[in-house]
Amino acid sequence: MGIARLACAGILAAGLLAGCASEPPGAGGGDDPHAMQLLDAGQATCRPTTAAENAAGVAATNRARAARGLGPVRADARLAEAAAKHACDMAQRGRMTHIGSSTHGPSPRVKAAGYAPSVTAENIAAGHFDLNRVLAEWNQSSGHLSNIVIPQVRDFGIGSAVGADGKTRFWAAVYGAPR
């Protein structure tokens, strides 16, 4: 595994690429400075997020928030759906990016899933790592942690998909606050 950049924090970590973005409602668009082409486009393995995966993400997020005196988040199936679909889109394209095939940023994706946000934020990653490792990396990266500890955030969802190489897992976590 090579060295890759944790885009938001400028930190180097072995084999994990990650990026983060946050946006107010109606924001989004433009180029993604954190985008990286990792694989050739191809058939990805995509599936819905399990309740256990979402619960693990909530627990890791709440530990980081509690350590900073912030209230907890709760699992939201709509955010998990949006995250899983974005992870699938990235895996199919072999590209880690906040810009989807038909969307710019997380806000339009969560709206399409039926969530009306006042705030959205997204952490993404790609590599050969499991859920616990990705959550730990995000919690140790200042840029990713800044999304996790947005005071207004109340809801969370996570998703993943495996790229065409059968090894590279693409991750997306979405943090939201409802209107």
Side-chain angles (χ1 to χ4, degrees):
M1 287 184 253
I3 300 293
R5 180 170 63 96
L6 281 171
C8 284
I11 298 171
L12 297 178
L16 175 70
L17 300 150
C20 60
S22 60
E23 59 189 9
D31 293 328
D32 180 358
H34 309 299
M36 299 179 103
Q37 189 69 40
L38 304 174
L39 308 170
D40 290 334
Q43 183 64 40
T45 302
C46 303
R47 61 175 180 69
T49 302
T50 67
E53 290 166 331
N54 226 18
V58 164
T61 299
N62 285 340
R63 282 191 298 275
R65 291 177 64 83
R68 288 153 185 85
L70 297 171
V73 298
R74 61 188 174 222
D76 187 283
R78 297 164 298 182
L79 297 185
E81 175 188 344
K85 285 181 177 179
H86 185 57
C88 182
D89 181 51
M90 290 191 295
Q92 289 170 337
R93 294 185 295 148
R95 184 172 180 80
M96 187 192 74
T97 179
H98 293 288
I99 297 174
S101 293
S102 61
T103 59
H104 290 271
S107 187
R109 293 190 285 271
V110 303
K111 287 176 184 176
Y115 187 91
S118 63
V119 174
T120 59
E122 177 178 79
N123 286 343
I124 58 174
H128 299 182
F129 299 111
D130 66 11
L131 174 64
N132 291 328
R133 172 73 187 271
V134 167
L135 293 167
E137 293 289 341
W138 284 335
N139 282 331
Q140 294 171 17
S141 161
S142 62
H144 299 91
L145 187 58
S146 67
N147 281 340
I148 293 166
V149 298
I150 295 171
Q152 298 87 348
V153 165
R154 297 291 173 261
D155 300 313
F156 171 87
I158 194 163
S160 70
V162 178
D165 66 351
K167 297 181 273 187
T168 304
R169 186 167 298 273
F170 290 79
W171 293 94
V174 181
Y175 310 86
R179 283 204 185 282

